[in-house]
Amino acid sequence: NIFVFFILGLFSCRAMSQQITYSQPESDDIRTLDFEIVGKVSGNFLVYKSVRNKYTVSIYENDMKLKDKVDLDFIPDKTINVDFIAYSNFAYVIYQYQKRNILHCMAASIDGNGNLVKQPIELDTTYISFFADNKIYSTINSEDKSKIMIYKIQKKNDKYNFTTALFDDSLRLLHISRIATPYEDRKDIFSDFFVDNSGNFVFTKGAKLNSRDYLQQLSLVTKAPMQNNFIQNDLNLSGNYLDDIKLKIDNVNGQYLINSLFYNRRNGNIEGLYTAVWDKKNEKPVSENFAQFNDTIRNEAKTEGGTRLAFNDYF
């Protein structure tokens, strides 16, 4: 009887499948188009597009049909960079432009129909020389989007001068810091930069002997929201060497996760995966592990050559 009911149950199952819906290309979507998916705001999908110093946002419905196209005419010509932070009913537009020798970092907000709902405000300015790089501001936000940070890095006399400006989700300035840290070209490597839900600024700094080497030293660098200094925490690599560093924030458990492929000697082969878990509250590692890839995994991964070389082209 159980078997009969099981067979009948199979016949009653409904097959479910995914459906992919595409938008139609627009007439001015040329090869040099720059675009960014802003996100879903008030039930619409917003896509930012830039063509020849013309900045627009296309509004798509759920079926990816174009609902409207709105000019972002508050953004000046020759804007250097535009970033977006999308919320449920509005999105911040953070952009930078240069006027004479002053670089301006601005913010405005638009609704789900692309209309301006908050006039542009100035977040920061920087005086730059004529030959200086004018793309210096970057924007990051916490996972819950309660914290927004703009930061800039300017090099001077073998030091990187960090300026970090921390804002809440209403763009109220919480704290601004200016910190100088030593930096050697071709030897020191920074990971991507992050801000956690509490407003801590987090990244890793690695060191190698020369530009072609792997990392032989690694530190986790943190800055508390209201502090004006970096805390550098050295990690124990046990004589191993690391490849590209991937840093993630675990806001739920208050931890920072660090991963990399590792080598046990210079100019060697990839041996396995390095993982470190850092506890934010106690300011110490919960675990550090070098997991060796065994021959079974290597045989699955290799396309040609010996198993020792199997992961050398992986990232």
Side-chain angles (χ1 to χ4, degrees), residues 210-278:
N210 56 62
S211 59
R212 295 188 177 184
D213 254 344
Y214 306 122
L215 297 178
Q216 59 178 0
Q217 296 175 359
L218 184 67
S219 301
L220 177 71
V221 184
T222 60
K223 189 196 80 67
M226 302 301 169
Q227 298 298 317
N228 296 312
N229 62 289
F230 288 142
I231 297 177
Q232 186 165 313
N233 306 281
D234 295 333
L235 297 168
N236 182 15
L237 302 187
S238 302
N240 293 301
Y241 299 84
L242 301 184
D243 203 350
D244 190 31
I245 304 297
K246 296 300 178 185
L247 172 66
K248 295 289 183 182
I249 293 178
D250 178 2
N251 285 294
V252 174
N253 298 299
Q255 296 176 340
Y256 305 132
L257 314 178
I258 302 168
N259 288 279
S260 175
L261 297 172
F262 78 89
Y263 310 77
N264 59 19
R265 60 187 178 87
R266 293 174 63 188
N267 303 319
N269 300 308
I270 289 177
E271 298 293 334
L273 183 68
Y274 166 71
T275 301
V277 180
W278 183 271

Side-chain angles (χ1 to χ4, degrees), residues 24-160:
Q24 294 298 317
E26 299 176 44
S27 59
D28 54 356
D29 286 352
I30 60 177
R31 187 180 296 272
T32 57
L33 169 76
D34 288 329
F35 75 95
E36 182 176 342
I37 300 172
V38 179
K40 194 171 188 179
V41 181
S42 299
N44 295 325
F45 292 106
L46 273 58
V47 179
Y48 163 78
K49 298 181 180 181
S50 170
V51 180
R52 300 191 188 100
N53 294 324
K54 183 180 180 182
Y55 313 105
T56 62
V57 60
S58 296
I59 317 298
Y60 295 94
E61 299 174 337
N62 269 330
D63 58 2
M64 295 310 297
K65 290 182 179 178
L66 183 65
K67 182 179 179 181
D68 198 4
K69 189 172 183 178
V70 180
D71 290 334
L72 302 179
D73 49 14
F74 60 88
I75 300 179
D77 290 343
K78 298 182 180 179
T79 292
I80 300 161
N81 191 52
V82 181
D83 293 306
F84 296 89
I85 304 173
Y87 294 83
S88 60
N89 58 349
F90 75 95
Y92 283 126
V93 186
I94 300 176
Y95 58 96
Q96 50 187 301
Y97 70 93
Q98 183 176 347
K99 188 174 182 180
R100 297 186 179 88
N101 288 84
I102 303 296
L103 193 64
H104 300 263
C105 183
M106 308 290 293
S109 61
I110 56 175
D111 62 16
N113 293 311
N115 299 315
L116 185 67
V117 294
K118 188 174 182 180
Q119 292 292 328
I121 60 173
E122 194 168 73
L123 301 180
D124 194 55
T125 59
T126 301
Y127 176 84
I128 59 175
S129 64
F130 182 77
F131 296 103
D133 183 10
N134 61 0
K135 188 178 179 180
I136 63 172
Y137 287 105
S138 298
T139 304
I140 53 178
N141 59 269
S142 60
E143 185 180 24
D144 64 0
K145 300 180 183 178
S146 67
K147 304 294 187 299
I148 299 169
M149 178 177 285
I150 61 167
Y151 66 89
K152 60 184 177 182
I153 306 174
Q154 295 172 289
K155 187 180 178 183
K156 186 177 181 181
N157 300 329
D158 293 328
K159 286 188 177 182
Y160 268 2

